[in-house]
């Protein structure tokens, strides 16, 4: 699934694929370039934070299955940010299905 196919899903405002340093590989959506760049940097930073936290949880709980994390969602008052691997998208709350969006992000990330 391409970024443009993700973009046409209900509620998706913008989507981008980013490098490990947070720079943009590819992007689609009706957002200014500087906003997309900030979204990518946020996603890269947040992914690192989630990874660190799941590593610690796995270590302290001595339970398998916590790592690697499969993705994350940050839910705001009007917009949510969803990410899997090096893909991130902004979603208008109340539009579309976060489950379907996360599934599509996962499929796209592993192509």
């Amino acid at each position: 699934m391409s970024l443009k196919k993700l973009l046409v899903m209900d509620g998706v405002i913008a989507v981008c694929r980013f490098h490990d340093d947070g720079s943009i590989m590819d992007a689609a959506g009706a957002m200014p370039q500087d906003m997309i760049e900030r979204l990518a940097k946020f996603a890269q930073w947040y992914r690192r934070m989630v990874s660190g936290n799941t590593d610690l949880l796995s270590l302290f709980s001595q339970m398998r299955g916590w790592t690697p994390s499969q993705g994350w969602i940050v839910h705001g008052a009007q917009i949510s940010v969803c990410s899997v691997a090096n893909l991130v998208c902004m979603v208008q709350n109340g539009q579309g299905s976060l489950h379907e969006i996360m599934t599509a992000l996962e499929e796209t990330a592993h192509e």
Side-chain angles (χ1 to χ4, degrees):
M1 184 177 287
S2 71
L3 296 188
K4 293 197 187 301
K5 288 183 182 177
L6 287 166
L7 186 61
V8 299
M9 295 183 75
D10 288 342
V12 175
I13 300 166
V15 62
C16 76
R17 186 183 312 265
F18 56 92
H19 293 281
D20 286 337
D21 66 356
S23 61
I24 296 173
M25 293 171 70
D26 192 15
M31 283 179 57
Q33 183 67 21
D34 66 322
M35 291 284 292
I36 295 266
E37 290 171 3
R38 287 188 292 202
L39 176 64
K41 286 287 188 186
F42 168 76
Q44 180 262 347
W45 172 82
Y46 204 84
R47 181 178 71 172
R48 291 180 65 189
M49 185 186 71
V50 167
S51 180
N53 286 341
T54 55
D55 287 346
L56 285 172
L57 181 60
S58 180
L59 176 69
F60 291 133
S61 71
Q62 294 296 306
M63 295 172 57
R64 296 176 184 246
W66 292 105
T67 59
S69 62
Q70 300 300 307
W72 51 265
I73 300 171
V74 174
H75 190 73
Q78 297 175 354
I79 292 176
S80 295
V81 178
C82 305
S83 183
V84 172
N86 68 335
L87 289 170
V88 62
C89 69
M90 290 186 84
V91 180
Q92 182 69 44
N93 291 344
Q95 297 180 13
S97 163
L98 290 179
H99 176 74
E100 289 176 11
I101 291 167
M102 291 298 286
T103 300
L105 283 170
E106 185 172 356
E107 289 172 5
T108 304
H110 295 102
E111 287 182 344

